[in-house]
Amino acid sequence: MSKIKQIFMKQTDLFSVLIVLFWLKTYFAYLLEFDLGVTGWLQHLILLINPLGLGIILFSVALFSKNKKRRIGLLMGILLAATLLLYSNILYYREFTDFLTMNILVGSNNVSGALIASTLAMMRPWDLLYWIDVLVFAAVIYKVKKGQPALRNRLDISRKAVGTLVLGIIMLVGNLLLAEVSRPQLLTRTFDRNYIVKYMGINFFTGYDVYQTAKNSHIKASADESHLEEIVSYAKVNRAEPDPQYFGMAEDRNVIVIAMESIQQFLIDYELEDENGETHEVMPFVNSLFNSEESFSFSNFYHQTGQGKSSDAEILTETSLYGLPQGSAFQTLGSSNTFHATPGILKSKADYTSAAFHGNVGSFWNRSDTYRQFGYDYFFDAEYYDLSGDRSLEYGLKDKLFFRDSVEYLEQLPQPFYTKFLTVTHHFPYPLDDQNAGFPIAQTEDSTVNDFFATANYADEAIEEFFTYLKKTGLYENSIFVMYGDHYGISNMRNPHVAPLIGEDPEEWGEFQNAEMQQVPFILHIPGMDEGQVFDMPSGQIDVLPTLLHLLGIETDDYLFMGQDLLSPGHDSSVPLRNGRVITTDYTFINDRIYDNQTGEELSEQFSEEERLELIGERDQARMELNHSDRLMSMDLLRFYQPESLTQLEPLEYTYSNQMEVLQNHPGIQTSVIEKNRGESTLHLYETDAPEIREKIDYIYRPNRGLMERIQD
């Protein structure tokens, strides 16, 4: 004990021991408690060092105290606070597979109450390891002599304190640089809290979250109802009246949305030539839907996402608003903003049940929190799927397994329902393991481009298997299908490698061609309809929601949508992209340059000054849509906009943690597929060639458990 006491009397040794112990237990928690998806030596190195930089900075604050007793007290206080933060996140993660945020701690009594109520159940025997350093130091401090005098050499102490602080700053900056190498734009594209913790640590994430929360609160605090006036006027003028022949065409049908990860328009009807000169249709099933007489399809449809990527696509298609100019609206605003989104609207207007399905963790793009604000009744994320072994890739459960395994939840949903399925296998860098290989790869110098077509074909097969199942259960005929590509898959940097594959000259590839590559498929498939056609007018994801609502027979007069009904004769074919580029029927505007849509030729110098200014005015008019949307989002102005018809739109109050119990108590459960099938599962009707399913499995429904029980033959 005397030697330990001597360490406490010696400033340098005490500080070093505290840092080392805190570093070790934090790293231990990373490995044991959190599923951070660490791969490769660089990510493992970053995970190892990320507790040190900010940890040294925090603990160095105590070194500036001139009184030894106060200094030791400060060190212990910092250690206690940091340990409490770490352990609170451990407990929360065990229950919700997510990290604590300010919005959860301050703004949600439901979540905090659930955390407190289940603390004992979440504790584990080894949890003492997270507190043992605090207990030991507390015991030793108790033995330290009281009334330690002030330090005599204040200059020496100041130098050590400053030196330690500088060391911490250097390590933190180094950590940031390594994180930028492994994950570019980490802090501007904060699409998953897991990523910030993995690269920068728990303490950094908490500080960053506090900063973002404070910034958003300041912006929102400055807003009032007066900021809505111009936007309300714009929305009313911008609205396009529905076409009577289409309004209500899909009334009372189930809605099944499939967000097709990274699927671009050039894949539609595309045939890839292999090394032997034989051609292979990449997406034959999606092609059949796109060209069907039962579909409204759009060949000149653009994604309008920014840094929020897939989550921006969800904002666009389900709220008819844009994502933010920087970062992800889901991540930055999704936990607290007011949204008039498809799930809430359909529940309010037509008593729809809603559910989202995603084979990745709920924290990815902050979906768990944002879906509550959208009004989703259920969200089945990675917790509800088996992702073990070879069943998943980097971004989650493989698509064929994802659709199949979703059936045990889909068949229990009361009808009519609104469902969304987020595919992930066709995601950069487009890996596909050997057991799923077979489709030819492209023959270019870029391996990413080469693999792109094989994973697109895999996604197409997965969707076809899902449709086959839906037809067998009778769900197909009573549904409308909304299918869209969420964003580009091939980046501008790689587009020249694609050029020869689509009949273009890479030497003549430029910004106009890059803009065209932002086209993605959009299909509204309505079984039984025979009026389908392919529309070629410019359109975008912002238009999806008003189009869908009108097909379902729901008026949109009271909503502040930036988009318009694509089937309306009054639709304005001006499409602003998130980066400010604008596409119209005749022209593409890229910065101050104007291109002819037919020839791709730049026309800027061919117009008179008067003509050019008129066209630029049209471009700026289209961009106003972005400005109005940004103000609505950043100021959370929809909280001030509650017409009488919208008063029932409220965020969901529970956290998707006991969904099967809630689902079994749903008042409309008798309308579900499984109840109509007398309590027997329909999963045996699902046929897949997924090689990961190696044995035959029967499924028996247990109503008293609210779960599917797997019985192996």
Side-chain angles (χ1 to χ4, degrees), residues 77-199:
I78 295 169
L79 176 63
L80 182 62
T83 301
L84 181 61
L85 175 64
L86 174 64
Y87 189 61
S88 297
N89 274 281
I90 289 170
L91 294 179
Y92 188 79
Y93 196 93
R94 287 173 181 169
E95 178 72 14
F96 299 106
T97 320
D98 202 354
F99 297 99
L100 287 166
T101 65
M102 287 299 296
N103 286 317
I104 290 173
L105 290 171
V106 177
S108 176
N109 293 329
N110 174 271
V111 175
S112 299
L115 176 63
I116 294 171
S118 57
T119 295
L120 291 176
M122 290 185 289
M123 288 182 173
R124 303 291 184 267
W126 61 83
D127 287 358
L128 183 62
L129 293 174
Y130 299 119
W131 293 95
I132 194 166
D133 57 339
V134 176
L135 297 175
V136 169
F137 275 98
V140 174
I141 286 177
Y142 183 76
K143 299 290 185 179
V144 173
K145 292 181 180 180
K146 299 180 179 180
Q148 295 294 327
L151 296 171
R152 297 176 180 176
N153 192 346
R154 294 181 59 186
L155 181 60
D156 182 56
I157 292 302
S158 297
R159 284 176 177 172
K160 289 182 179 180
V162 171
T164 304
L165 178 62
V166 170
L167 173 63
I169 293 173
I170 292 173
M171 294 195 70
L172 180 62
V173 171
N175 189 174
L176 276 168
L177 292 175
L178 288 175
E180 184 67 18
V181 170
S182 181
R183 176 60 61 177
Q185 298 179 310
L186 174 67
L187 299 183
T188 54
R189 294 184 62 232
T190 51
F191 52 87
D192 189 353
R193 289 190 274 271
N194 270 19
Y195 276 76
I196 299 182
V197 174
K198 176 169 71 173
Y199 287 107

Side-chain angles (χ1 to χ4, degrees), residues 427-637:
H427 194 294
F428 176 83
Y430 313 108
L432 202 59
D433 48 22
D434 291 340
Q435 63 182 337
N436 285 291
F439 192 83
I441 64 171
Q443 305 298 309
T444 76
E445 297 178 357
D446 191 305
S447 60
T448 297
V449 172
N450 295 342
D451 295 337
F452 179 82
F453 300 91
T455 51
N457 177 260
Y458 176 91
D460 181 78
E461 292 180 350
I463 293 171
E464 183 177 16
E465 291 177 353
F466 183 49
F467 269 68
T468 300
Y469 161 79
L470 294 171
K471 290 176 181 178
K472 291 179 179 180
T473 61
L475 284 173
Y476 172 77
E477 291 79 7
N478 192 38
S479 299
I480 174 175
F481 296 85
V482 182
M483 304 173 65
Y484 65 87
D486 60 353
H487 53 75
Y488 67 82
I490 302 297
S491 65
N492 289 347
M493 178 184 69
R494 291 187 165 89
N495 280 338
H497 292 285
V498 180
L501 301 178
I502 58 177
E504 298 286 344
D505 184 352
E507 297 297 324
E508 297 182 2
W509 195 275
E511 288 302 309
F512 173 78
Q513 288 76 18
N514 283 335
E516 283 197 314
M517 290 290 280
Q518 308 314 306
Q519 294 175 356
V520 295
F522 178 46
I523 306 168
L524 290 163
H525 184 67
I526 309 174
M529 178 190 71
D530 59 3
E531 304 174 38
Q533 59 178 301
V534 177
F535 297 90
D536 64 357
M537 78 281 194
S539 52
Q541 292 169 329
I542 199 76
D543 300 317
V544 170
L545 179 53
T547 308
L548 173 62
L549 290 181
H550 286 169
L551 284 170
L552 295 174
I554 296 175
E555 288 285 358
T556 59
D557 308 59
D558 288 334
Y559 298 99
L560 299 186
F561 294 157
M562 297 296 106
Q564 298 178 330
D565 183 350
L566 289 172
L567 302 175
S568 168
H571 178 263
D572 177 13
S573 296
S574 296
V575 183
L577 305 186
R578 180 66 268 187
N579 59 12
R581 297 177 178 182
V582 174
I583 293 90
T584 65
T585 303
D586 299 316
Y587 304 110
T588 294
F589 296 86
I590 301 176
N591 299 325
D592 290 328
R593 300 188 299 277
I594 306 172
Y595 293 83
D596 186 295
N597 285 345
Q598 297 300 316
T599 66
E601 178 185 2
E602 185 179 350
L603 304 175
S604 305
E605 301 300 324
Q606 299 182 22
F607 296 110
S608 68
E609 183 63 17
E610 183 178 351
E611 291 173 330
R612 194 184 72 83
L613 289 175
E614 182 178 350
L615 288 172
I616 293 298
E618 293 179 14
R619 178 204 67 184
D620 292 343
Q621 181 68 25
R623 286 179 174 177
M624 284 180 58
E625 204 166 277
L626 295 170
N627 295 331
H628 289 316
S629 176
D630 290 346
R631 291 174 65 195
L632 271 175
M633 294 284 284
S634 61
M635 294 184 175
D636 191 18
L637 294 180

